[in-house]
Amino acid sequence: MNDKLVYSSKYDSVDYQKVFKQNDTRFFIPILKQLGADNWRIFLSNAAVITEVKHYYLTGAELKIAAEIDASISDLMTTARLYTDGLYWNYNPNRMILNKVTDVYLCDNDEKRVELEDDKLYRVVTDFYTSQMLGGVTDLSYGLLSIVPKFADGTPVERYEDAVIMTTEGTELKAWAAIAEYMTSFEDTDGDGIGNVPAKYAKEEGRKVVEDSKKIGDLLKNPNKFFFIIIGLILVVLAILTGIIVLIVKVTKKIVKSCKAKKEE
């Protein structure tokens, strides 16, 4: 859930007329250009901006899994990369897969740390692609990872159409409209009549912190359940291989012993 979606998530529906009454492309294209000569064109060509915005609920445990998916899989599958606001995590790229995240937490509006509660439901707002990716994690991992989008009462979202944020006109809120609405909140700091991209976006904000360490203590600290599952699987495989080797050795010895006995006869 990134900044523009956090801003639009204050509402269950959004008034397009309010957003664009005086703020059409003449307003937000100049703001996008502040991102750089190429970045704004790449932004507008991104298919994600034309998809609808959805809101649903995930548990604290599921948010931790989402962070782990980003840390462990996004370099291999870029569609799994998350860009969030409110959810922060630290990870070590040198740790075991699905055990790279060492800390996950929320930040409130005052930038104060808030611990995640595994069983508590948290409202999440994403575009269509992100909701599909998160919702498909369970099937893709054969149940090893489980993320199930839910309604406020905890019942699973069966149809994603039911989780779409609607406008006051009864149409689906699109990601580009959420972006435009967020841009209308930018302060005009140079008096040219166009909002300016806040200075905070000129640098990283620490939403994802990389702890690039190969120290044993850092590689093993704060292990999650997947660490123990993977270690358990490795031990099972080693035990099976050891059993096979022992069996082969015993059979070989028996064959050799049998051959010696026949020669002696």
Side-chain angles (χ1 to χ4, degrees):
M1 185 165 68
N2 54 29
D3 294 13
K4 67 180 184 295
L5 299 181
V6 169
Y7 188 81
S8 66
S9 72
K10 294 183 293 184
Y11 315 98
D12 288 324
S13 61
V14 176
D15 187 343
Y16 273 117
Q17 298 303 318
K18 174 185 175 183
V19 174
F20 293 110
K21 186 175 182 180
Q22 296 178 336
N23 302 295
D24 56 14
T25 55
R26 291 171 296 174
F27 172 82
F28 68 87
I29 291 298
I31 295 181
L32 287 174
K33 287 184 176 181
Q34 295 175 40
L35 301 176
D38 297 320
N39 291 338
W40 73 275
R41 291 187 178 87
I42 295 172
F43 167 81
L44 287 179
S45 66
N46 190 335
V49 302
I50 64 173
T51 64
E52 61 271 19
V53 177
K54 302 177 183 297
H55 64 142
Y56 44 89
Y57 291 79
L58 297 177
T59 65
E62 289 171 325
L63 289 176
K64 292 176 182 178
I65 291 175
E68 190 60 65
I69 290 171
D70 176 89
S72 291
I73 301 175
S74 63
D75 285 341
L76 303 173
M77 187 174 69
T78 56
T79 54
R81 182 159 287 128
L82 299 174
Y83 303 91
T84 66
D85 181 37
L87 183 66
Y88 291 63
W89 61 89
N90 297 6
Y91 71 97
N92 186 342
N94 301 302
R95 286 164 62 104
M96 183 185 298
I97 190 169
L98 299 183
N99 187 54
K100 296 183 183 294
V101 174
T102 58
D103 192 20
V104 190
Y105 57 96
L106 299 176
C107 272
D108 61 19
N109 293 333
D110 297 321
E111 297 299 317
K112 293 182 180 179
R113 179 183 176 115
V114 178
E115 299 299 336
L116 282 169
E117 299 177 35
D118 285 351
D119 297 326
K120 182 178 179 179
L121 289 175
Y122 298 88
R123 188 176 181 223
V124 176
V125 180
T126 67
D127 59 33
F128 173 75
Y129 290 122
T130 303
S131 65
Q132 264 202 329
M133 185 276 290
L134 291 176
V137 163
T138 303
D139 292 335
L140 290 173
S141 66
Y142 298 98
L144 180 62
L145 304 174
S146 179
I147 295 180
V148 180
K150 307 168 188 64
F151 293 111
D153 61 2
T155 58
V157 175
E158 300 291 345
R159 301 191 317 153
Y160 280 105
E161 308 91 87
D162 298 332
V164 175
I165 294 179
M166 305 300 291
T167 71
T168 54
E169 297 174 334
T171 57
E172 299 174 340
L173 172 64
K174 301 296 185 180
W176 64 266
I179 296 166
E181 183 188 12
Y182 180 50
M183 288 178 174
T184 63
S185 72
F186 290 173
E187 182 182 358
D188 178 11
T189 58
D190 56 12
D192 64 354
I194 298 173
N196 296 90
V197 175
K200 69 176 184 176
Y201 291 118
K203 60 181 181 179
E204 295 180 355
E205 296 186 78
R207 301 180 187 186
K208 300 180 191 178
V209 177
V210 180
E211 301 173 338
D212 193 359
S213 172
K214 295 182 180 179
K215 295 180 180 179
I216 296 297
D218 293 331
L219 295 177
L220 298 177
K221 73 176 182 180
N222 299 334
N224 60 24
K225 68 177 183 180
F226 301 112
F227 171 83
F228 296 105
I229 290 173
I230 293 173
I231 291 297
L233 290 174
I234 291 173
L235 291 176
V236 169
V237 171
L238 289 176
I240 292 173
L241 290 175
T242 301
I244 292 172
I245 292 171
V246 170
L247 180 61
I248 291 173
V249 170
K250 286 183 177 181
V251 171
T252 302
K253 286 182 177 181
K254 188 174 182 179
I255 292 173
V256 171
K257 186 176 180 180
S258 176
C259 289
K260 287 182 177 180
K262 288 182 179 179
K263 285 182 180 180
E264 290 177 357
E265 292 177 358

